[in-house]
Every structure is written in structure tokens, then in C-alpha cells.
Amino acid sequence: MELSRRGFLSGVVGGVAAGVLASSPQAHGDDSTESRGYDAIVVGAGFAGVAAARELRAAGLRVLVLEARPRVGGKAFSQTFAGKTIDLGASWFSPHQPLVTAELRRYGIDLVPEGVFPEKVLMPTVDGVARFDPHTAFAHFDHLLGVFFEGTRDYYPDPYRPLAAGEVIRRLDQLTLRDRLDQLPVSEQDKLWLSNVTSTYAGGDSTRGAFTPMAQWWAAAGHDAAGWNTFIGQAPAGGVGNFLQRMLDDARAEVRLSTPVTRVVDAGDHVRVTTRGGRVFSAKTVVVAVPPNIWQKIDFYPGLPAVHVDAAARQLNVPYSAKFWLRTRGDIGSLSASTAEGYPVNSLFTYHQLDDGDQLMIGFSQDATFNVHDRAQLQEALRLFGPIEVLDVRAVDWGRDEFSLGGWAYRRPGQLFAHLPGIQQPHGRMAFANEGLSTSWGGFVEGALESGFRAAEQVLDRVRG
């Protein structure tokens, strides 16, 4: 029985999946000269930026992609650890995500199940964590999800038209995830189970995030736990990096790595993009495909519209999120562990059982004070789960990454109506692409693709208009 079939595990991840080094034409570094002749510049080489670049190149435009990091992928990163490919960003896709499904089919890539079924499940109780029978725990959590999302068929009859229910959804969008939890006729222990998921998606605090994004995902997956359970545990054959690389190869765009952008100027008849190294690139249009949390680090002229300013100032992407992989030893069997909201490690799962008896475990933290790179801190936090010895660590703290400043996108209360559709619109010769700007799958690769494709259409309208 695959990990992907277990519903409460689906609450631990969101956001964009892993990337690899590009094989497209690329260069590193800057100089002080100005380069002209491009039709479009794409700032950021994550899934949104690569999707936009591919579509623009397919339309015959000359495209330059500027990526701040020395690799493509954005908030995504894959490595080899203990002989296994691991993703230090999110790595799973659902067959309920139509754009991802179409892209995988385009490249002949199958979704394959990953992970192991746990022998032991630990879940939070009012007295700490306790062990539960896996089958019983999974079935009960599926039931709790149904209670939590009750009514979505009424207020999200079409999850791809999120504003369709009008005033009903507007009122619901004022609720925090904590507000919704407090409404439920369930036990305090049940609320602890659910709050592990809600606090994870909201960035560590259920009072921060709105109820409506999670409810929309539930609706888009078929309004049931079976669909929700597909959010985790299914990865593209060959890895997410292979998927992204295929898209990038298709784009055949010029890619410059290690080239952070510091200024974007709409000069009326063209745009000028300045890099940290002082180089200036000119084009007819630009696609800004970096997270909203980064917008405040770029000098835009003229300034951004109010809706974009709000998204940046209020951190549309959760401000802290860290993912870590551990090589561990200990007589604990395969494990699935979730904790109460506020614990430094909110989830920990066995993902691979190695030939020598060690395990590769995947974990998540939403605690800004917790250092996921510190093996001693991890060892202390994991004592809650049993005799686990941490042998080695691979981790990324996305909240402290200078080119992310946070994890996946997740709206705050009131932002559904405040942001849509305005945040999706171009501003002069500037278009915007990021998974947080999507109509239905904010925080997922699906949303990044939607946003990248839309930005490409907007650029083409501008260039051809």
C-alpha cells in the first residue's frame, strides 16, 4: 500500500517541485554592458518561468531567462543522498492536476508511487504524541477531512471559478484555518490532528492562513479524501528534475545563471532589466517569475499596483518553511509521525529503507527558530518519536534563502477577493508568474504552470498587439 494513499500525510507539503542544472544555452556572471534585441526577458527559472519561456520560444520570440541561483528550479532542489534522489522542495503531483497531467503525457513521463507504508503511526494527543494503528488512524483522518471540508460542493461548485459562489465564498474567505477548526463538532484531539495539517500549510500558524485555499484544493481533487490522498507520494518517473529539464530543453531559450535581478524599468516602448552585477538587458516585455516575497527586493519603475504591493508586504508565500532528509538508525520500524501545532518538527516519515538497515526519513519544520541544519537540534526534537539516531542531514531552509524568503504560496484571510483577478493582470510591459498567482492550485507546480502559461499569453498579446 503506497504512501500516496494515506490522507493525513497529504498535509505536509505544498509548493514547487525540484529542479536540476540546465543544459540549455547558459552563462554565469555579469558585466556592465547593455544587451538589446530580446523580445522577452523571463526573471526566474522555476516552473512558472520555464513554462513561460517555452511558450514564448514556441511562438518564435527571442527569450532571455535570468536566474539568480547557479541552478534552475527556483524553490526546488534535488540531490543524491545515500544513493537515492531526494527533493529538497516539494516533489509530488496529483492526477487531479490537469496541466501537470498534460505536461507529463507530452513528455511520456509516468507518475510512480514512492514511500513506504508505516508500521507505526504517531499522532498528537492532549498528553503528547501516542501510537495508533495505521489503518485505524488513516481511516479516522479521512473522516476528519470530510468534516473539515463539509459544504465545499456548495461554495466551490467549480473550483476553477473560485469567485463563482459570490457572497458565500466572500464570507468564508474571512475565516482563518483556526476559525474553521474552532467551528468543528469534534474532540480536542481531533482538532490537534487537523491542526498539524492546517498549521503546516499556513506556515506554522493556523491563524495566519485562510480556510479557502485548502477548501479549494479539496474541491479540485473531487471533494473527497480519495482525491486529497493523491497529493503526496506520486512522483514523475526519472524525478521532478527530469520533468523540468525536458521543459527547459523544449524552451531552447538563452539562460543566464547566477544573475540576480535588482531593477525592472518599464520605459514605455521597452523594458530594461538590471542585474546585481550592473548589467542591463533590454527587451519588449518582461515576465517576473519570482515569488511575491522577493518583489520587495526588486526596484520596479513605475511602482507595482496596490494588489501586488499587498501580496509582497503580507508575504503571500509562507515566510518560513524548511524541508529536511535524514539518514537515521534505530529500532523504530517504518514510521509516520505528526505533532501538535507549534512543535519544531511538525512531520516525519520513513521514505526509504536502506539495505544496511538505516532509513531515509523526510521531515518538515515551520519553526523559524529551529535550525534544520543542526544535527544536535534535530536529534533532540526527534526524541519525541523514539530512539532515532541521526547519522546525516540534507536540508534547505527556504525562509532564509535570499532568493525565496519563504516556502509555498498560501493566501491570508480576505485575499481571495482582494487578489483575484487583479494580481494575475500585466502591468504595462510587465507580466507576472508564480504559483501563488494561480486561480485554483496556489502553492503547487500546477499553479506555477497555469501562471506561466497565462503570462506567456499576455506577453504575446502585447508583442503582437
Side-chain angles (χ1 to χ4, degrees), residues 311-396:
R314 299 181 67 198
Q315 296 179 303
L316 182 59
N317 293 81
V318 297
Y320 184 79
S321 178
K323 182 176 181 180
F324 57 87
W325 288 78
L326 308 176
R327 183 167 188 159
T328 66
R329 185 172 296 160
D331 186 19
I332 60 169
S334 55
L335 175 69
S336 169
S338 299
T339 62
E341 180 171 340
Y343 195 72
V345 174
N346 53 295
S347 302
L348 183 73
F349 311 114
T350 301
Y351 208 74
H352 294 292
Q353 293 172 312
L354 303 177
D355 292 341
D356 61 1
D358 293 350
Q359 294 190 25
L360 280 191
M361 308 187 80
I362 184 173
F364 303 86
S365 176
Q366 316 301 133
D367 185 343
T369 68
F370 188 68
N371 184 357
V372 292
H373 299 280
D374 188 326
R375 193 161 67 180
Q377 282 196 37
L378 285 164
Q379 186 74 68
E380 178 63 24
L382 267 53
R383 289 177 57 191
L384 182 68
F385 308 134
I388 301 174
E389 180 185 1
V390 178
L391 303 177
D392 202 359
V393 182
R394 297 290 186 275
V396 172

Side-chain angles (χ1 to χ4, degrees), residues 282-296:
S282 296
K284 297 176 182 177
T285 58
V286 63
V287 176
V288 180
V290 298
N293 290 16
I294 298 297
W295 292 347
Q296 293 187 96

Side-chain angles (χ1 to χ4, degrees), residues 10 21 28 167 211 213 280 288 306 343 421 427 440 454:
S10 301
L21 289 177
H28 291 257
E167 194 57 34
F211 169 62
V280 179
V288 180
Y343 195 72
H427 179 49
S440 56
R454 180 173 50 248

Side-chain angles (χ1 to χ4, degrees), residues 30-51:
D30 298 317
D31 59 48
S32 60
T33 62
E34 179 168 356
S35 295
R36 301 175 180 269
Y38 298 102
D39 295 305
I41 295 171
V42 177
V43 181
F47 270 96
V50 169

Side-chain angles (χ1 to χ4, degrees), residues 6-8 133-145 193 225:
R6 300 282 59 93
F8 74 89
D133 171 72
H135 298 283
T136 302
F138 300 152
H140 184 59
F141 196 81
D142 284 352
H143 166 72
L144 291 178
L145 288 171
W193 285 31

Side-chain angles (χ1 to χ4, degrees), residues 6-350:
R6 300 282 59 93
F8 74 89
L9 304 187
S10 301
V12 302
V13 295
V16 180
V20 295
L21 289 177
S23 63
S24 298
Q26 57 191 302
H28 291 257
D30 298 317
D31 59 48
S32 60
T33 62
E34 179 168 356
S35 295
R36 301 175 180 269
Y38 298 102
D39 295 305
I41 295 171
V42 177
V43 181
F47 270 96
V50 169
R54 189 191 71 184
E55 297 305 293
L56 294 173
R57 284 288 296 129
L61 273 61
R62 185 184 178 198
V63 179
L64 171 65
V65 180
L66 301 178
E67 168 56 47
R69 296 180 175 88
R71 60 172 180 82
V72 298
K75 294 191 306 292
F77 187 27
S78 61
Q79 288 186 342
T80 299
F81 185 33
K84 305 289 185 180
T85 298
I86 62 169
D87 293 317
L88 289 159
S91 57
W92 302 300
F93 302 124
S94 167
H96 290 278
Q97 296 168 336
L99 296 178
V100 161
T101 300
E103 289 296 314
L104 292 172
R105 186 180 301 118
R106 172 176 177 155
Y107 295 112
I109 301 173
D110 294 326
L111 281 178
V112 295
E114 293 188 339
V116 298
F117 187 79
E119 301 167 327
K120 181 167 64 175
V121 169
L122 298 178
M123 294 296 289
T125 72
V126 293
D127 298 316
V129 296
R131 181 171 179 173
F132 294 84
D133 171 72
H135 298 283
T136 302
F138 300 152
H140 184 59
F141 196 81
D142 284 352
H143 166 72
L144 291 178
L145 288 171
V147 174
F148 186 70
F149 294 120
E150 184 178 3
T152 55
R153 293 186 186 276
D154 297 323
Y155 53 83
Y156 274 133
D158 181 354
Y160 293 92
R161 296 175 58 237
L163 309 183
E167 194 57 34
V168 173
I169 196 69
R170 187 188 295 272
R171 288 195 300 269
L172 280 174
D173 194 44
Q174 301 305 312
L175 294 180
T176 68
L177 289 162
R178 173 54 60 186
D179 291 335
R180 178 57 180 158
L181 288 170
D182 290 343
Q183 293 176 343
L184 301 182
V186 299
S187 69
E188 288 305 310
Q189 177 171 295
D190 288 342
K191 290 180 182 179
L192 288 174
W193 285 31
L194 286 168
S195 69
N196 171 268
V197 175
T198 59
S199 63
T200 296
Y201 274 123
D205 182 357
S206 294
T207 67
R208 183 186 187 278
F211 169 62
T212 50
M214 282 183 64
Q216 189 177 10
W217 301 337
W218 173 268
H223 300 276
D224 59 30
W228 180 270
N229 294 349
T230 65
F231 289 176
I232 189 172
Q234 298 182 91
V240 176
N242 173 57
F243 176 26
L244 180 65
Q245 191 68 56
R246 296 285 291 276
M247 291 185 66
L248 187 64
D249 290 344
D250 245 4
R252 294 172 290 109
E254 179 182 347
V255 179
R256 289 180 176 265
L257 304 177
S258 303
T259 311
V261 167
T262 59
R263 193 161 197 250
V264 177
V265 173
D266 184 342
D269 60 349
H270 69 285
V271 294
R272 291 195 302 275
V273 176
T274 305
T275 70
R276 182 182 290 177
R279 184 159 189 178
V280 179
F281 296 91
S282 296
K284 297 176 182 177
T285 58
V286 63
V287 176
V288 180
V290 298
N293 290 16
I294 298 297
W295 292 347
Q296 293 187 96
K297 296 182 65 176
I298 299 174
D299 179 16
F300 291 95
Y301 181 84
L304 295 179
V307 64
H308 293 75
V309 172
D310 175 78
R314 299 181 67 198
Q315 296 179 303
L316 182 59
N317 293 81
V318 297
Y320 184 79
S321 178
K323 182 176 181 180
F324 57 87
W325 288 78
L326 308 176
R327 183 167 188 159
T328 66
R329 185 172 296 160
D331 186 19
I332 60 169
S334 55
L335 175 69
S336 169
S338 299
T339 62
E341 180 171 340
Y343 195 72
V345 174
N346 53 295
S347 302
L348 183 73
F349 311 114
T350 301

